[in-house]
Structure formats: structure tokens, C-alpha cells
Amino acid sequence: MLAVYTFNQFVAPYQSEQIRGFREAEPGTFSTLETSEGFIARSGYDGEEGPPTWGEQVFPDCWSNSNGDGWAPSTLSLWSSLEALMAATYQGPHGRLLRHGKDWHIPADHIPEYVLWWKGDGDRPDWAEAVARFEDLMSNGPGPAAFSFKNAFDPAGRPFKPDIGKMKNLAKLNALKI
């Protein structure tokens, strides 16, 4: 299974008018992602409706809480393949939201927005592991233990190029579900 942790920092508090577009789109985007081909599961958040949390939510050392609300947009999920995650990420509702990221997120060229790594079947990550993988990618660059779409690895640790045709086919299947 492919694990993915995403992290960013908002330009303003989550409840602010400036973040309203993100906030309003979030439930529908989660719902669409959860019905995407290859989606396995995602962690929820303490005190919120939805799936249970996979441990105590923590944030990377680079998190500054600059918006002052003690919260940063982050997700933790499992997928069947790199292509399935790419199809769900870059196409459909999530893909449209990505194009607005600059309106909601603080630009940080030195901080990745996500990290990927492989997990064995039935081996679910927790937030602490996800943050450790994220910080590994940030400190050491991509490798088999922490990588990106651009510099991916297969479960055996070999460099891997995603099958773009497979990704496009999965995106078409996802579009039929919307």
C-alpha cells in the first residue's frame, strides 16, 4: 500500500473569510477522494466526525503556526498504487482545488507539500510516522523511505516511473463516479 502525508500552512486562520473556499470545498473533496479508484483508507482527526484518527496528530518541526489557530492542513491516507493517487490528486475536484492553493497556502519552496512511502498490507501508518517521513524527505531528499511523484520508488526500493496511461484510465473511471 502507498502511504501519503500532505502538509501545508494556511495564509490565515482556518475559520477566516480568506480560507472560506477551501473550507467549503473540503467535505466534498474528501468524499470524492474516498470513492476514487485505488483509495484504501484515510485518517480522521480527533474531535471531528468521520473516520477515526490514526494516532495523535502532530505537525513537522517546520510548522510555525503563523496563522495563530494551532492548525495546519494535513492529511494521511493509503492508496493501492502511485497511479491511483496521481489520478485522484491531479484530476477532478481535488485537481481543481490544487490550482487555488496559492490563495490559501503560504509559499515555501524549501518545504515539500507531501511525502510518499510504501507500507505492507494491513500496516497502517500513524501521524508520528508520517511526520518523520516528511522530515526525512525535507532533510535528505527523495529515497525509498520517503519520496515524491517526481522521484518515486517501487515497494522494493527501486526508482519507479508511474504508468501515465494507467493514471489517465483511473482518472476516467473516477470521473464516472462524480
Side-chain angles (χ1 to χ4, degrees), residues 150-161:
K150 186 177 179 179
N151 295 291
F153 292 81
D154 70 12
R158 297 177 300 245
F160 177 78
K161 295 289 182 201

Side-chain angles (χ1 to χ4, degrees), residues 7-10 12-15 19 22 26 45 48 57 59 63 65-74:
F7 172 79
N8 230 305
Q9 297 185 78
F10 282 135
Y14 181 72
Q15 293 299 330
I19 306 301
F22 179 96
E26 188 176 32
Y45 308 95
E48 292 186 15
Q57 188 177 15
F59 298 115
W63 178 56
N65 192 24
S66 59
N67 65 21
D69 67 2
W71 195 81
S74 58

